Amino acid sequence: MNERRMHYRTCPLCEATCGLAVAVEADRVLSVRGDADDPFSQGFLCPKGATLGDLHHDPDRLRVPRVRRAGRLVEASWDEAFEAIEAGLMPLLKR
């Protein structure tokens, strides 16, 4: 039987860094609320932060890195993704 757990995190969506109280059961986000004990946001949360559960479960959400090969985006490992970033970024930094 899955039990409900509460995770306390910081919202990643903007610079306000609101405290989150995220209720989770198994791999499902049940609710996202403001953390009343957070010293900065004091339980307040914007509408964007409240939708983090929906974003997490969005079927269109990218769950693995992708790199462009032969003009198409294909799944890749994190190492491959960072190598592709370095290969594209280094020439720009040199310029």
Side-chain angles (χ1 to χ4, degrees):
M1 182 162 123
N2 296 317
E3 68 182 64
R4 184 178 173 146
R5 299 175 319 279
M6 191 64 73
H7 298 276
Y8 296 93
R9 301 288 185 264
T10 300
C11 183
L13 295 178
C14 75
E15 67 280 356
T17 62
C18 295
L20 303 176
V22 183
V24 176
E25 187 174 304
D27 64 346
R28 298 291 309 168
V29 174
L30 302 175
S31 69
V32 178
R33 300 188 188 283
D35 177 4
D37 294 330
D38 184 80
F40 299 113
S41 60
Q42 300 175 348
F44 291 96
L45 185 61
C46 78
K48 292 183 299 183
T51 64
L52 280 171
D54 295 333
L55 290 172
H56 180 76
H57 296 297
D58 186 331
D60 293 328
R61 176 179 163 227
L62 294 178
R63 299 180 191 295
V64 295
R66 294 180 184 231
V67 296
R68 192 169 304 280
R69 291 193 185 124
R72 297 187 60 205
L73 287 174
V74 296
E75 289 186 3
S77 70
W78 282 105
D79 286 339
E80 291 171 311
F82 283 117
E83 286 172 14
I85 292 167
E86 183 178 6
L89 188 58
M90 291 313 289
L92 296 173
L93 293 174
K94 287 179 182 175
R95 277 198 291 176

Coordinates of all heavy atoms in Angstrom, one line a residue:
M1 N 0.8 -1.2 0.0 CA 0.0 0.0 0.0 C 0.9 1.2 0.0 O 1.9 1.3 0.7 CB -0.9 0.0 1.2 CG -1.8 1.1 1.3 SD -3.2 0.8 2.4 CE -3.0 2.1 3.5
N2 N 0.5 2.2 -0.8 CA 1.3 3.4 -0.9 C 0.8 4.4 0.2 O -0.3 4.5 0.4 CB 1.1 4.1 -2.3 CG 1.6 3.3 -3.4 OD1 2.7 2.7 -3.3 ND2 0.9 3.1 -4.5
E3 N 1.8 5.1 0.7 CA 1.4 6.0 1.8 C 1.7 7.4 1.3 O 2.6 7.7 0.4 CB 2.1 5.8 3.1 CG 3.6 6.0 3.1 CD 4.1 5.6 4.5 OE1 4.1 4.5 4.9 OE2 4.6 6.6 5.1
R4 N 0.9 8.4 1.8 CA 1.0 9.7 1.4 C 2.2 10.4 2.1 O 2.4 10.1 3.3 CB -0.2 10.5 1.8 CG -0.3 11.9 1.3 CD -1.6 12.5 1.7 NE -1.6 13.9 1.5 CZ -2.6 14.6 1.1 NH1 -3.8 14.0 0.9 NH2 -2.5 15.9 0.9
R5 N 3.1 11.1 1.4 CA 4.2 11.7 2.0 C 4.2 13.2 1.6 O 3.6 13.6 0.6 CB 5.5 11.2 1.4 CG 5.7 9.7 1.7 CD 6.9 9.1 1.0 NE 7.2 9.5 -0.4 CZ 6.6 9.0 -1.5 NH1 5.7 8.1 -1.4 NH2 7.0 9.4 -2.7
M6 N 4.8 14.0 2.5 CA 4.9 15.5 2.2 C 6.3 15.8 2.0 O 7.2 15.4 2.8 CB 4.3 16.2 3.4 CG 4.1 17.7 3.2 SD 2.9 18.1 1.9 CE 1.4 17.7 2.8
H7 N 6.6 16.5 0.9 CA 7.9 17.0 0.5 C 7.9 18.5 0.6 O 7.0 19.1 0.1 CB 8.3 16.5 -0.9 CG 8.4 15.0 -1.0 ND1 9.5 14.3 -0.6 CD2 7.5 14.1 -1.4 CE1 9.3 13.0 -0.8 NE2 8.0 12.9 -1.3
Y8 N 9.0 19.1 1.1 CA 9.1 20.5 1.2 C 10.2 20.9 0.3 O 11.4 20.5 0.4 CB 9.4 20.9 2.7 CG 8.2 20.6 3.6 CD1 8.1 19.4 4.2 CD2 7.1 21.4 3.6 CE1 7.1 19.0 5.0 CE2 6.0 21.1 4.4 CZ 6.0 19.9 5.1 OH 4.9 19.6 5.8
R9 N 9.9 21.8 -0.6 CA 10.8 22.2 -1.7 C 10.7 23.7 -1.9 O 9.8 24.4 -1.4 CB 10.5 21.5 -3.0 CG 10.6 20.0 -3.0 CD 12.0 19.5 -2.8 NE 12.1 18.1 -2.9 CZ 12.2 17.3 -1.8 NH1 12.1 17.8 -0.6 NH2 12.3 16.0 -1.9
T10 N 11.6 24.2 -2.8 CA 11.5 25.6 -3.2 C 11.0 25.6 -4.7 O 11.5 24.9 -5.5 CB 12.9 26.3 -3.1 OG1 13.4 26.2 -1.8 CG2 12.9 27.7 -3.6
C11 N 10.1 26.5 -5.0 CA 9.5 26.6 -6.3 C 10.6 27.1 -7.3 O 11.3 28.1 -7.0 CB 8.3 27.5 -6.3 SG 7.5 27.7 -7.9
P12 N 10.8 26.4 -8.4 CA 11.8 26.8 -9.4 C 11.3 27.8 -10.5 O 12.1 28.1 -11.4 CB 12.1 25.4 -10.0 CG 10.8 24.7 -10.1 CD 10.1 25.1 -8.8
L13 N 10.1 28.2 -10.4 CA 9.5 29.0 -11.5 C 9.9 30.4 -11.7 O 9.8 31.0 -12.7 CB 8.0 28.8 -11.5 CG 7.5 27.4 -11.8 CD1 6.0 27.3 -11.7 CD2 8.0 26.8 -13.1
C14 N 10.3 31.1 -10.6 CA 10.7 32.5 -10.7 C 11.6 32.8 -9.5 O 12.0 32.0 -8.7 CB 9.5 33.4 -10.7 SG 8.7 33.6 -9.1
E15 N 12.0 34.1 -9.5 CA 13.0 34.5 -8.5 C 12.5 34.7 -7.1 O 13.2 34.8 -6.1 CB 13.6 35.8 -8.9 CG 12.7 37.0 -9.0 CD 11.8 37.1 -10.2 OE1 11.9 36.3 -11.1 OE2 10.9 38.0 -10.2
A16 N 11.2 34.5 -6.9 CA 10.6 34.7 -5.6 C 10.9 33.5 -4.6 O 10.9 33.6 -3.4 CB 9.1 34.8 -5.6
T17 N 11.3 32.4 -5.2 CA 11.7 31.1 -4.5 C 10.7 30.8 -3.3 O 11.1 30.6 -2.2 CB 13.1 31.2 -4.0 OG1 13.3 32.3 -3.1 CG2 14.1 31.4 -5.1
C18 N 9.5 30.7 -3.6 CA 8.4 30.4 -2.6 C 8.6 29.0 -2.1 O 9.1 28.1 -2.8 CB 7.0 30.5 -3.2 SG 6.6 32.2 -3.7
G19 N 8.3 28.8 -0.8 CA 8.4 27.5 -0.2 C 7.1 26.6 -0.6 O 6.0 27.1 -0.6
L20 N 7.4 25.4 -1.0 CA 6.3 24.5 -1.4 C 6.1 23.3 -0.4 O 7.1 22.8 0.1 CB 6.6 23.9 -2.7 CG 6.9 24.8 -3.9 CD1 7.3 24.0 -5.1 CD2 5.7 25.6 -4.2
A21 N 4.9 22.9 -0.2 CA 4.5 21.7 0.5 C 3.8 20.8 -0.5 O 2.7 21.1 -1.0 CB 3.6 22.0 1.7
V22 N 4.5 19.8 -1.0 CA 4.0 18.9 -2.0 C 3.6 17.6 -1.5 O 4.4 16.8 -0.9 CB 5.1 18.7 -3.1 CG1 4.6 17.9 -4.3 CG2 5.7 20.0 -3.6
A23 N 2.3 17.2 -1.6 CA 1.8 16.0 -1.1 C 1.9 15.0 -2.3 O 1.5 15.2 -3.4 CB 0.3 16.1 -0.7
V24 N 2.5 13.8 -2.0 CA 2.8 12.8 -3.0 C 2.4 11.4 -2.5 O 2.5 11.1 -1.3 CB 4.3 12.7 -3.3 CG1 4.7 11.6 -4.3 CG2 4.8 14.1 -3.8
E25 N 1.8 10.6 -3.4 CA 1.5 9.2 -3.1 C 2.0 8.4 -4.2 O 1.6 8.7 -5.4 CB 0.0 9.1 -2.9 CG -0.4 7.7 -2.4 CD -1.9 7.5 -2.1 OE1 -2.3 8.3 -1.2 OE2 -2.5 6.7 -2.7
A26 N 2.8 7.4 -4.0 CA 3.5 6.7 -5.0 C 4.2 7.6 -5.9 O 5.1 8.4 -5.4 CB 2.5 5.8 -5.7
D27 N 3.9 7.7 -7.2 CA 4.6 8.6 -8.1 C 3.7 9.7 -8.5 O 3.9 10.4 -9.5 CB 5.2 7.9 -9.3 CG 4.1 7.3 -10.2 OD1 2.9 7.2 -9.7 OD2 4.4 6.9 -11.3
R28 N 2.6 9.9 -7.8 CA 1.6 11.0 -8.1 C 1.7 12.2 -7.2 O 1.7 12.0 -6.0 CB 0.2 10.4 -8.1 CG -0.2 9.3 -9.0 CD -0.2 9.7 -10.5 NE -1.1 10.8 -10.7 CZ -1.1 11.5 -11.9 NH1 -0.3 11.1 -12.9 NH2 -1.8 12.5 -12.1
V29 N 1.7 13.4 -7.8 CA 1.6 14.6 -7.0 C 0.1 14.8 -6.7 O -0.7 14.9 -7.6 CB 2.2 15.8 -7.8 CG1 2.0 17.1 -7.0 CG2 3.7 15.6 -8.0
L30 N -0.2 14.8 -5.4 CA -1.6 15.0 -5.1 C -2.0 16.5 -4.9 O -3.1 16.9 -5.3 CB -1.9 14.3 -3.8 CG -1.6 12.8 -3.8 CD1 -1.9 12.2 -2.4 CD2 -2.5 12.1 -4.8
S31 N -1.1 17.3 -4.4 CA -1.4 18.7 -4.2 C 0.0 19.4 -4.0 O 1.0 18.9 -3.6 CB -2.3 19.0 -3.0 OG -1.6 18.7 -1.8
V32 N -0.1 20.7 -4.4 CA 1.0 21.6 -4.2 C 0.5 22.9 -3.5 O -0.4 23.5 -4.0 CB 1.7 22.0 -5.5 CG1 2.8 23.0 -5.3 CG2 2.2 20.8 -6.3
R33 N 1.0 23.1 -2.3 CA 0.5 24.3 -1.6 C 1.7 25.1 -1.1 O 2.8 24.6 -1.1 CB -0.3 23.8 -0.4 CG -1.5 23.0 -0.7 CD -2.4 22.8 0.5 NE -3.5 21.9 0.3 CZ -4.6 22.2 -0.4 NH1 -4.7 23.4 -0.9 NH2 -5.5 21.3 -0.6
G34 N 1.5 26.3 -0.6 CA 2.5 27.1 -0.1 C 2.9 26.5 1.3 O 2.0 26.0 2.1
D35 N 4.2 26.5 1.6 CA 4.7 26.1 2.9 C 4.5 27.2 4.0 O 5.2 28.2 3.9 CB 6.2 25.6 2.8 CG 6.8 25.2 4.1 OD1 6.1 25.1 5.1 OD2 8.0 24.9 4.0
A36 N 3.6 27.0 4.9 CA 3.4 28.0 5.9 C 4.6 28.3 6.8 O 4.7 29.4 7.3 CB 2.2 27.5 6.8
D37 N 5.5 27.3 6.9 CA 6.7 27.6 7.7 C 7.9 28.2 6.9 O 9.0 28.4 7.5 CB 7.2 26.2 8.3 CG 6.2 25.7 9.3 OD1 5.5 26.5 10.0 OD2 6.1 24.5 9.4
D38 N 7.7 28.4 5.6 CA 8.8 29.0 4.8 C 9.0 30.5 5.3 O 8.0 31.3 5.4 CB 8.4 29.0 3.3 CG 9.5 29.6 2.5 OD1 10.5 28.8 2.2 OD2 9.5 30.8 2.1
P39 N 10.2 30.9 5.6 CA 10.5 32.2 6.2 C 10.2 33.3 5.2 O 10.0 34.5 5.6 CB 11.9 32.2 6.6 CG 12.5 31.1 5.8 CD 11.4 30.1 5.6
F40 N 10.3 33.1 3.9 CA 10.1 34.1 2.9 C 8.7 34.2 2.4 O 8.1 35.3 2.5 CB 11.1 33.9 1.7 CG 12.5 33.9 2.1 CD1 13.3 32.8 2.0 CD2 13.1 35.1 2.6 CE1 14.6 32.8 2.4 CE2 14.4 35.1 3.0 CZ 15.2 34.0 2.9
S41 N 8.1 33.1 1.9 CA 6.8 33.2 1.3 C 5.7 33.0 2.3 O 4.5 33.3 2.1 CB 6.7 32.1 0.2 OG 6.9 30.8 0.7
Q42 N 6.0 32.5 3.5 CA 5.1 32.3 4.6 C 3.7 31.7 4.2 O 2.7 32.1 4.6 CB 4.8 33.7 5.3 CG 6.1 34.3 5.8 CD 5.9 35.7 6.4 OE1 4.9 36.3 6.2 NE2 7.0 36.1 7.1
G43 N 3.8 30.7 3.3 CA 2.6 30.0 2.9 C 1.9 30.5 1.7 O 1.0 29.9 1.2
F44 N 2.4 31.6 1.2 CA 1.8 32.2 0.0 C 2.4 31.5 -1.2 O 3.6 31.1 -1.2 CB 2.0 33.7 -0.1 CG 1.2 34.4 0.9 CD1 1.7 34.8 2.1 CD2 -0.2 34.7 0.7 CE1 1.0 35.5 3.1 CE2 -0.9 35.4 1.6 CZ -0.3 35.8 2.8
L45 N 1.6 31.4 -2.3 CA 2.1 30.7 -3.5 C 1.3 31.3 -4.7 O 0.1 31.5 -4.6 CB 1.8 29.2 -3.4 CG 2.3 28.3 -4.5 CD1 3.9 28.4 -4.6 CD2 1.9 26.9 -4.2
C46 N 2.0 31.6 -5.8 CA 1.3 32.1 -6.9 C 0.6 31.0 -7.7 O 0.9 29.8 -7.5 CB 2.3 32.8 -7.8 SG 3.3 31.8 -8.9
P47 N -0.3 31.4 -8.6 CA -1.0 30.4 -9.4 C 0.0 29.5 -10.2 O -0.4 28.3 -10.5 CB -1.9 31.2 -10.4 CG -2.1 32.5 -9.7 CD -0.8 32.7 -8.9
K48 N 1.1 30.0 -10.7 CA 2.0 29.1 -11.4 C 2.6 28.0 -10.6 O 2.6 26.9 -11.0 CB 3.2 30.0 -12.0 CG 2.9 31.0 -13.0 CD 4.1 31.7 -13.5 CE 4.8 32.4 -12.4 NZ 6.0 33.2 -12.8
G49 N 3.0 28.4 -9.4 CA 3.5 27.4 -8.4 C 2.5 26.3 -8.1 O 2.9 25.1 -7.9
A50 N 1.3 26.7 -8.0 CA 0.2 25.8 -7.6 C 0.0 24.7 -8.7 O -0.6 23.7 -8.4 CB -1.1 26.5 -7.3
T51 N 0.4 25.0 -9.9 CA 0.2 24.0 -11.0 C 1.4 23.1 -11.2 O 1.4 22.4 -12.2 CB -0.1 24.8 -12.3 OG1 1.1 25.5 -12.7 CG2 -1.3 25.7 -12.2
L52 N 2.4 23.1 -10.4 CA 3.6 22.3 -10.6 C 3.2 20.8 -10.7 O 3.9 20.1 -11.4 CB 4.6 22.5 -9.5 CG 5.5 23.7 -9.7 CD1 6.3 24.0 -8.4 CD2 6.3 23.6 -10.9
G53 N 2.2 20.3 -10.0 CA 1.8 18.9 -10.1 C 1.3 18.6 -11.5 O 1.6 17.6 -12.1
D54 N 0.5 19.6 -12.1 CA 0.0 19.4 -13.5 C 1.2 19.4 -14.4 O 1.2 18.6 -15.4 CB -0.9 20.5 -13.9 CG -2.2 20.5 -13.1 OD1 -2.6 19.4 -12.6 OD2 -2.8 21.5 -12.9
L55 N 2.2 20.2 -14.2 CA 3.4 20.3 -15.1 C 4.1 18.9 -15.0 O 4.6 18.4 -16.0 CB 4.3 21.4 -14.7 CG 3.8 22.8 -15.1 CD1 4.7 23.9 -14.5 CD2 3.7 23.0 -16.6
H56 N 4.3 18.4 -13.8 CA 5.0 17.2 -13.6 C 4.4 16.0 -14.3 O 5.1 15.1 -14.8 CB 5.1 16.9 -12.1 CG 5.8 15.6 -11.7 ND1 7.2 15.5 -11.8 CD2 5.3 14.4 -11.4 CE1 7.5 14.3 -11.5 NE2 6.5 13.6 -11.2
H57 N 3.1 16.0 -14.4 CA 2.3 14.9 -15.0 C 1.9 15.1 -16.4 O 1.3 14.3 -17.1 CB 1.1 14.5 -14.2 CG 1.5 14.0 -12.8 ND1 2.2 12.9 -12.6 CD2 1.2 14.5 -11.6 CE1 2.4 12.7 -11.3 NE2 1.8 13.7 -10.6
D58 N 2.3 16.3 -17.0 CA 2.0 16.6 -18.4 C 2.6 15.5 -19.3 O 3.8 15.3 -19.3 CB 2.5 18.0 -18.7 CG 2.1 18.5 -20.1 OD1 1.9 17.6 -21.0 OD2 2.0 19.7 -20.3
P59 N 1.8 14.9 -20.2 CA 2.3 13.9 -21.1 C 3.3 14.4 -22.1 O 4.1 13.6 -22.6 CB 1.0 13.3 -21.7 CG 0.0 14.3 -21.6 CD 0.3 15.1 -20.3
D60 N 3.3 15.7 -22.3 CA 4.2 16.3 -23.3 C 5.5 16.8 -22.6 O 6.4 17.3 -23.3 CB 3.6 17.5 -24.0 CG 2.4 17.1 -24.9 OD1 2.5 16.0 -25.4 OD2 1.5 17.9 -25.0
R61 N 5.7 16.6 -21.3 CA 6.9 17.0 -20.6 C 8.1 16.1 -21.1 O 8.0 14.9 -21.2 CB 6.6 16.8 -19.1 CG 7.8 17.1 -18.3 CD 7.5 16.9 -16.8 NE 8.8 16.8 -16.1 CZ 9.0 15.8 -15.2 NH1 8.1 14.9 -14.9 NH2 10.2 15.8 -14.6
L62 N 9.2 16.8 -21.3 CA 10.4 16.1 -21.6 C 11.0 15.5 -20.4 O 11.1 16.1 -19.4 CB 11.4 17.1 -22.2 CG 11.1 17.7 -23.6 CD1 12.2 18.6 -24.0 CD2 10.9 16.6 -24.6
R63 N 11.2 14.2 -20.5 CA 11.7 13.4 -19.3 C 13.2 13.0 -19.4 O 13.8 12.5 -18.5 CB 10.8 12.2 -19.1 CG 9.4 12.7 -18.8 CD 8.5 11.5 -18.5 NE 7.1 11.9 -18.5 CZ 6.5 12.7 -17.6 NH1 7.1 13.3 -16.7 NH2 5.2 12.9 -17.7
V64 N 13.7 13.1 -20.6 CA 15.1 12.8 -20.9 C 15.7 13.8 -21.8 O 14.9 14.5 -22.6 CB 15.3 11.4 -21.5 CG1 14.8 10.3 -20.6 CG2 14.5 11.3 -22.9
P65 N 17.0 14.1 -21.8 CA 17.6 15.0 -22.7 C 17.4 14.6 -24.2 O 17.2 13.4 -24.5 CB 19.0 15.0 -22.4 CG 19.2 14.3 -21.1 CD 18.0 13.4 -21.0
R66 N 17.4 15.6 -25.1 CA 17.4 15.3 -26.5 C 18.5 16.1 -27.2 O 18.8 17.2 -26.8 CB 16.0 15.7 -27.1 CG 14.9 14.8 -26.5 CD 13.6 15.2 -27.1 NE 12.6 14.4 -26.5 CZ 11.7 13.7 -27.2 NH1 11.6 13.8 -28.5 NH2 10.8 13.0 -26.6
V67 N 19.0 15.5 -28.2 CA 20.0 16.2 -29.0 C 19.6 16.1 -30.5 O 18.9 15.2 -30.9 CB 21.5 15.6 -28.9 CG1 21.9 15.8 -27.4 CG2 21.5 14.2 -29.3
R68 N 20.1 17.1 -31.3 CA 19.8 17.1 -32.7 C 20.8 16.2 -33.5 O 22.0 16.5 -33.4 CB 19.8 18.5 -33.2 CG 19.1 18.6 -34.6 CD 18.9 20.1 -35.0 NE 18.0 20.8 -34.1 CZ 16.7 20.7 -34.0 NH1 16.1 20.0 -34.9 NH2 16.0 21.5 -33.2
R69 N 20.3 15.2 -34.2 CA 21.1 14.4 -35.0 C 20.4 14.3 -36.4 O 19.2 13.9 -36.5 CB 21.2 13.0 -34.4 CG 22.1 13.0 -33.2 CD 22.4 11.5 -32.8 NE 23.2 11.6 -31.5 CZ 22.8 10.9 -30.4 NH1 21.7 10.1 -30.5 NH2 23.5 11.0 -29.3
A70 N 21.2 14.6 -37.4 CA 20.6 14.6 -38.8 C 19.3 15.4 -38.9 O 18.4 14.9 -39.5 CB 20.4 13.1 -39.2
G71 N 19.3 16.5 -38.2 CA 18.1 17.4 -38.3 C 17.0 17.0 -37.4 O 15.9 17.7 -37.5
R72 N 17.1 15.9 -36.7 CA 16.0 15.5 -35.8 C 16.4 15.5 -34.4 O 17.5 15.1 -34.0 CB 15.5 14.1 -36.2 CG 15.0 14.0 -37.6 CD 14.4 12.7 -38.0 NE 13.3 12.4 -37.0 CZ 12.9 11.2 -36.7 NH1 13.5 10.1 -37.2 NH2 11.9 11.0 -35.9
L73 N 15.4 15.8 -33.4 CA 15.7 15.6 -32.0 C 15.5 14.2 -31.6 O 14.4 13.6 -31.9 CB 14.8 16.6 -31.2 CG 15.1 18.0 -31.3 CD1 14.1 18.9 -30.6 CD2 16.5 18.3 -30.7
V74 N 16.5 13.6 -31.0 CA 16.5 12.2 -30.5 C 16.9 12.1 -29.1 O 17.6 13.0 -28.6 CB 17.4 11.3 -31.4 CG1 16.9 11.2 -32.8 CG2 18.8 11.7 -31.3
E75 N 16.4 11.2 -28.3 CA 16.7 11.0 -26.9 C 18.2 10.7 -26.8 O 18.8 10.1 -27.7 CB 15.9 9.8 -26.3 CG 14.5 10.2 -26.2 CD 13.7 9.1 -25.4 OE1 14.3 8.1 -25.0 OE2 12.5 9.2 -25.3
A76 N 18.8 11.2 -25.7 CA 20.2 11.1 -25.5 C 20.4 10.9 -24.0 O 19.6 11.2 -23.2 CB 20.9 12.3 -26.0
S77 N 21.6 10.5 -23.6 CA 22.0 10.5 -22.2 C 22.4 11.9 -21.8 O 22.6 12.8 -22.6 CB 23.2 9.5 -22.0 OG 24.4 10.1 -22.6
W78 N 22.5 12.1 -20.5 CA 22.9 13.4 -20.0 C 24.3 13.7 -20.5 O 24.6 14.9 -20.8 CB 22.8 13.5 -18.5 CG 21.4 13.7 -18.0 CD1 20.6 12.8 -17.5 CD2 20.6 14.9 -18.1 NE1 19.3 13.3 -17.2 CE2 19.4 14.6 -17.6 CE3 20.9 16.2 -18.6 CZ2 18.3 15.6 -17.6 CZ3 19.9 17.1 -18.6 CH2 18.7 16.8 -18.1
D79 N 25.2 12.7 -20.5 CA 26.6 13.0 -21.0 C 26.6 13.4 -22.4 O 27.3 14.4 -22.8 CB 27.4 11.7 -20.8 CG 27.8 11.5 -19.4 OD1 27.8 12.4 -18.5 OD2 28.2 10.3 -19.1
E80 N 25.8 12.8 -23.3 CA 25.7 13.2 -24.7 C 25.1 14.6 -24.8 O 25.6 15.4 -25.6 CB 24.8 12.2 -25.4 CG 25.4 10.8 -25.6 CD 24.4 9.8 -26.2 OE1 23.2 9.8 -25.7 OE2 24.7 9.2 -27.2
A81 N 24.1 14.9 -24.0 CA 23.5 16.2 -24.1 C 24.5 17.3 -23.7 O 24.6 18.4 -24.4 CB 22.3 16.3 -23.2
F82 N 25.3 17.1 -22.6 CA 26.3 18.1 -22.2 C 27.4 18.2 -23.2 O 28.0 19.3 -23.4 CB 26.8 17.8 -20.8 CG 25.8 18.2 -19.7 CD1 25.2 17.3 -18.9 CD2 25.4 19.6 -19.6 CE1 24.3 17.7 -17.9 CE2 24.5 20.0 -18.6 CZ 24.0 19.0 -17.8
E83 N 27.8 17.1 -23.8 CA 28.8 17.2 -24.9 C 28.3 18.0 -26.1 O 29.1 18.8 -26.6 CB 29.1 15.7 -25.4 CG 30.0 15.0 -24.4 CD 30.2 13.5 -24.8 OE1 29.9 13.1 -25.9 OE2 30.6 12.7 -23.9
A84 N 27.0 17.8 -26.4 CA 26.5 18.6 -27.5 C 26.4 20.1 -27.2 O 26.7 21.0 -28.0 CB 25.1 18.1 -27.9
I85 N 26.1 20.4 -25.9 CA 26.1 21.8 -25.5 C 27.5 22.4 -25.6 O 27.7 23.5 -26.1 CB 25.5 21.9 -24.0 CG1 24.1 21.5 -24.0 CG2 25.8 23.3 -23.4 CD1 23.5 21.3 -22.6
E86 N 28.5 21.6 -25.1 CA 29.8 22.1 -25.1 C 30.3 22.3 -26.6 O 30.9 23.4 -26.9 CB 30.8 21.2 -24.4 CG 32.2 21.6 -24.3 CD 33.1 20.7 -23.6 OE1 32.7 19.6 -23.2 OE2 34.3 21.1 -23.4
A87 N 30.0 21.4 -27.4 CA 30.4 21.5 -28.8 C 29.8 22.7 -29.5 O 30.4 23.4 -30.3 CB 30.0 20.2 -29.6
G88 N 28.6 23.1 -29.1 CA 27.9 24.3 -29.7 C 28.3 25.6 -29.0 O 28.4 26.6 -29.7
L89 N 28.6 25.5 -27.8 CA 28.9 26.7 -27.0 C 30.3 27.2 -27.1 O 30.6 28.4 -27.2 CB 28.5 26.4 -25.5 CG 28.6 27.6 -24.6 CD1 27.6 28.7 -25.0 CD2 28.2 27.2 -23.2
M90 N 31.2 26.3 -27.2 CA 32.6 26.7 -27.2 C 33.0 27.6 -28.4 O 33.7 28.6 -28.2 CB 33.6 25.5 -27.2 CG 33.5 24.7 -25.8 SD 33.6 25.8 -24.4 CE 35.3 26.2 -24.4
P91 N 32.6 27.3 -29.6 CA 32.9 28.2 -30.7 C 32.3 29.6 -30.5 O 32.9 30.6 -30.9 CB 32.2 27.6 -32.0 CG 32.1 26.1 -31.6 CD 31.9 26.1 -30.1
L92 N 31.1 29.7 -29.9 CA 30.5 31.0 -29.6 C 31.3 31.8 -28.6 O 31.5 33.0 -28.7 CB 29.1 30.8 -29.1 CG 28.1 30.2 -30.1 CD1 26.7 29.9 -29.4 CD2 27.9 31.1 -31.3
L93 N 31.8 31.1 -27.5 CA 32.6 31.7 -26.5 C 33.9 32.2 -27.1 O 34.4 33.3 -26.7 CB 32.8 30.8 -25.3 CG 31.6 30.4 -24.5 CD1 31.9 29.4 -23.5 CD2 31.0 31.7 -23.9
K94 N 34.5 31.4 -28.0 CA 35.8 31.8 -28.6 C 35.6 33.1 -29.5 O 36.5 33.9 -29.6 CB 36.4 30.7 -29.4 CG 36.9 29.6 -28.5 CD 37.5 28.5 -29.3 CE 37.9 27.4 -28.4 NZ 38.4 26.2 -29.0
R95 N 34.4 33.2 -30.1 CA 34.2 34.4 -30.9 C 34.1 35.6 -30.1 O 34.4 36.7 -30.3 CB 32.9 34.3 -31.8 CG 33.1 33.5 -33.0 CD 32.1 33.7 -34.0 NE 30.8 33.1 -33.5 CZ 29.7 33.1 -34.1 NH1 29.5 33.8 -35.2 NH2 28.6 32.6 -33.6

